[in-house]
Amino acid sequence: MGRRVIYAMVITACTLLWGCLAEQPADAKIIQGYWSAEESAELEYANNDTTSLRNLNIFAVCDKEFVAHYRQLPLKITCMAPDSTSEVFEWKLDLTTAKEQMTATQTELTQTFIQNATLSQKGIYKFNISLNSSTEIKGVHAIGVEVENAENGKR
């Protein structure tokens, strides 16, 4: 092999490795079309940036049955920092105010539940999301958390 080919392979490998090590902005759990209070989604976010302001968004992928029968998805969200401190949020993902992306069969609902936060510790942040209702909810196919930079940027 020529030097250029080897050099190109090394650059490609480094680029792929960097992509794998970079922070992943979202994590989600697949739910099989119905969700009960006994189930929860365990999600993780690897944080390396301790200075940027972030928005934490909750998102759900729902089908037409959910959209037709429900106005809100009542959730309990527990956020655990790398040092094991935690905070619990009761949140209602509201169809009337959530951002929607629709396809022929599904709707993705996204709503910010923490705005302009600083994830002040490096490491793995854990999110436990459960249904905050004793009634089973039908039509939910995935639930997740997305961490995005706030429009304000750095503090």
Side-chain angles (χ1 to χ4, degrees):
M1 271 191 239
R3 250 186 206 182
R4 287 186 185 174
V5 173
I6 292 172
Y7 181 71
M9 289 171 59
V10 169
I11 294 295
T12 302
C14 289
T15 303
L16 290 172
L17 180 59
W18 178 254
C20 292
L21 296 175
E23 293 178 358
Q24 299 298 315
D27 191 11
K29 178 182 178 183
I30 302 297
I31 298 169
Q32 299 302 320
Y34 60 91
W35 200 12
S36 66
E38 293 83 39
E39 292 181 83
S40 66
E42 299 283 336
L43 310 172
E44 294 184 346
Y45 175 74
N47 183 52
N48 290 318
D49 180 350
T50 60
T51 59
S52 294
L53 293 176
R54 311 286 184 78
N55 292 334
L56 279 67
N57 302 322
I58 190 82
F59 66 89
V61 177
C62 308
D63 62 24
K64 291 180 182 182
E65 181 178 4
F66 177 85
V67 174
H69 292 97
Y70 304 100
R71 297 287 72 172
Q72 297 179 332
L73 182 59
L75 302 170
K76 180 179 173 185
I77 306 165
T78 304
C79 302
M80 186 182 304
D83 69 356
S84 297
T85 57
S86 64
E87 191 164 346
V88 178
F89 301 88
E90 290 187 7
W91 190 261
K92 291 184 177 161
L93 185 56
D94 191 332
L95 270 66
T96 60
T97 58
K99 294 180 208 166
E100 287 186 48
Q101 287 185 319
M102 300 177 79
T103 65
T105 59
Q106 293 184 328
T107 299
E108 182 178 311
L109 304 166
T110 304
Q111 201 169 43
T112 301
F113 72 95
I114 301 176
Q115 208 166 27
N116 296 322
T118 301
L119 302 179
S120 60
Q121 299 174 31
K122 285 188 178 185
I124 304 294
Y125 281 78
K126 297 180 180 183
F127 300 90
N128 179 292
I129 305 170
S130 58
L131 187 61
N132 198 11
S133 170
S134 58
T135 306
E136 179 179 279
I137 304 260
K138 294 182 180 179
V140 178
H141 294 275
I143 191 77
V145 171
E146 172 188 47
V147 179
E148 67 179 4
N149 283 331
E151 291 182 17
N152 305 2
K154 302 268 185 191
R155 46 176 197 154

